[in-house]
Amino acid sequence: MGGAQELRPLTTALFGRRARRRWIHLILGGALAMPYVFVGSVIVGPFFGDSGLFGSFGAQLSSFAVGLPLAAVTALFPLTRPMSVAAVRALCAVPDDSLAEGPARSRAARGRTAAWFTLHLGLGGVISGMSLALPPFAGFLIALPFFALLGESRIGMPGVFGEPWMVALAPVIGVASLVALAACAATASGLLARWAPGLLGPTPADRLAAAERRAADLAVRNRLARELHDSVGHALSAVTLQASAARRVLDHDPEFVREALAAIEETTRRTVGELDAVLGVLRETDGSGPTAPAPTLATDLDGLLHRTRAAGLPVSATVDADPAALPPLVSREAYRIVQEALSNALRHGGAGASLTLRVVLDGPDLTVTAENPLPSGSTDRHPDRRPGGGHGLRGVADRARLLGGACEAGPASGAWRLHVRLPLKGQP
């Protein structure tokens, strides 16, 4: 029993699932080597003649030796690496992050890919030849005792197979041959799996490109998070306040309730359109069709102020700039900044809150300033640090920074003040 337990790791290494999959990878290499061997046979054919070419082991070995350099030359094409990486990932149990993505573009990467391709085809050709030749021979040796019962009917067999000692040892030799074949295949495939990260792994340029792709993906996700926070968060804050106010006066002021419900309807309808624009950030990456345009100061500043006032927040707004003349990107980001300022005042201003908003041109910059009184008894903490606060001001700072501007937020003379500067020069 103990001996069987000790042999199990060896059996798994030679005949387990991973070993079988790697064996298939070697057979694939042998199959890919065949066209090159055929071309090599054409080249060496005149030196061996037709009969010698197919009957001589030396001629076949020479064809194989000539074909491998041809394989190395064709492996210099960039698309060889993706094909090789896909096969290694599927069959060789090599960690994905140790292999490169995409075609080999640098000279060094193509050289390593050519070395890998040549090794794969070379070792695969050898193991494929052994896999074709050894199992039938081993099967014959294992069945040799049966043939011994046929006596003189062993027509064409070498005389040694009639010796009693050969008949007795033949099954053992046959099984040993199969084990030797499995050991050779496991060794060759193990070497390929060990060499794969070095020959098919990412170059510094590949790692830089992957880092840039991850940074771009993260930027898209951050943009989506900011858009969702600003558009949906503002709408939910406004609708919550409108519904709460309507509930308090439901029995004695039906006209106010009617206006609040109309404001809720308008806010939600508008937010559905904004949500479609936000989801357009995702659709832009897959080309799935047109999306609703994102709101800007030029298209919806008046509507945003109207909906906020309808939610119960008095807003005094001064706009000393022509929104239609602003660069579209600045107009869009400034709209979201104003929306976040209004949302913070709605959520954290407390009873009797109000907000003063100024959107003005200051030389080459557009400045957005929002001030609302701090609630009585409030500590001068950042609204986004209070219980239930979010990450809105962080998003405002990100928007300003991406445009080359700056953001300041904090208590000032009993009020909470948000001041954002957005440069206009150089913006599309």
Side-chain angles (χ1 to χ4, degrees):
M1 186 68 177
Q5 292 291 338
E6 294 175 358
L7 289 176
R8 181 171 297 176
L10 178 61
T11 303
T12 302
L14 295 181
F15 302 102
R17 183 174 181 271
R18 186 175 69 174
R20 295 194 302 270
R21 292 172 68 90
R22 289 182 173 180
W23 202 333
I24 293 173
H25 183 252
L26 288 170
I27 299 299
L28 176 62
L32 291 173
M34 292 305 298
Y36 302 102
V37 174
F38 288 150
V39 174
S41 67
V42 173
I43 296 175
V44 303
F47 299 98
F48 291 92
D50 293 339
S51 60
L53 178 62
F54 296 101
S56 169
F57 177 73
Q60 296 173 12
L61 189 61
S62 299
S63 301
F64 191 67
V66 172
L68 286 182
L70 298 176
V73 172
T74 59
L76 293 175
F77 290 100
L79 292 179
T80 303
R81 189 171 71 175
M83 180 189 71
S84 300
V85 167
V88 170
R89 283 177 172 163
L91 299 172
C92 291
V94 175
D96 288 351
D97 56 0
S98 66
L99 300 173
E101 298 286 350
R105 303 193 181 277
S106 68
R107 182 177 300 177
R110 287 195 294 268
R112 287 196 294 270
T113 302
W116 163 267
F117 193 70
T118 306
L119 285 170
H120 182 204
L121 269 60
L123 293 176
V126 172
I127 297 301
S128 296
M130 294 174 62
S131 299
L132 288 173
L134 274 179
F137 178 68
F140 166 75
L141 291 179
I142 293 172
L144 187 59
F146 171 77
F147 289 106
L149 299 177
L150 302 180
E152 299 299 328
S153 66
R154 299 189 306 274
I155 299 175
M157 296 181 185
V160 69
F161 288 106
E163 300 294 334
W165 61 270
M166 185 62 185
V167 173
L169 291 177
V172 178
I173 297 174
V175 173
S177 299
L178 294 177
V179 173
L181 172 61
C184 291
T187 301
S189 61
L191 290 174
L192 286 179
R194 180 177 298 179
W195 293 334
L199 297 177
L200 296 177
T203 63
D206 293 328
R207 293 189 180 93
L208 179 60
E212 290 175 349
R213 287 194 298 270
R214 286 194 296 270
D217 291 341
L218 182 60
V220 170
R221 287 196 291 269
N222 286 340
R223 177 185 169 192
L224 179 62
R226 288 195 303 268
E227 297 289 332
L228 283 173
H229 177 277
D230 292 347
S231 63
V232 178
H234 173 80
L236 290 177
S237 297
V239 166
T240 299
L241 289 175
Q242 289 163 343
S244 176
R247 179 179 56 82
R248 288 195 297 267
V249 299
L250 179 62
D251 295 331
H252 55 82
D253 194 348
E255 184 62 28
F256 179 84
V257 174
R258 188 177 297 108
E259 293 178 358
L261 291 176
I264 290 173
E265 180 183 3
E266 180 185 355
T267 300
T268 53
R269 183 185 298 112
R270 179 75 191 185
T271 304
V272 169
E274 290 189 21
L275 183 61
D276 184 61
V278 171
L279 295 179
V281 176
L282 295 179
R283 298 193 187 106
E284 287 171 4
T285 63
D286 59 17
S288 61
T291 61
T296 65
L297 291 181
T299 60
D300 194 46
L301 177 59
D302 292 338
L304 177 63
L305 295 175
H306 172 72
R307 292 190 297 274
T308 304
R309 291 173 179 132
L313 178 69
V315 180
S316 173
T318 301
V319 181
D320 187 13
D322 182 8
L326 297 174
L329 184 59
V330 173
S331 183
R332 187 188 73 192
E333 298 303 314
Y335 177 90
R336 292 304 188 192
I337 291 170
V338 171
Q339 190 177 53
E340 175 59 25
L342 298 175
S343 297
N344 272 341
L346 283 171
R347 285 194 296 263
H348 307 295
S354 63
L355 183 134
T356 302
L357 174 69
R358 293 188 297 276
V359 180
V360 301
L361 287 175
D362 184 10
D365 301 332
L366 177 73
T367 63
V368 177
T369 305
E371 293 183 352
N372 61 284
L374 288 170
S376 58
S378 167
T379 59
D380 294 343
R381 291 191 296 171
H382 193 300
D384 284 348
R385 299 287 179 87
R386 299 175 189 169
H391 304 279
L393 291 181
R394 185 183 304 171
V396 169
D398 288 342
R399 293 179 188 277
R401 185 177 63 254
L402 290 174
L403 292 179
C407 171
E408 298 176 0
S413 302
W416 183 267
R417 184 173 186 268
L418 172 68
H419 180 72
V420 181
R421 178 181 54 82
L422 303 176
L424 301 179
K425 186 177 180 180
Q427 302 296 342

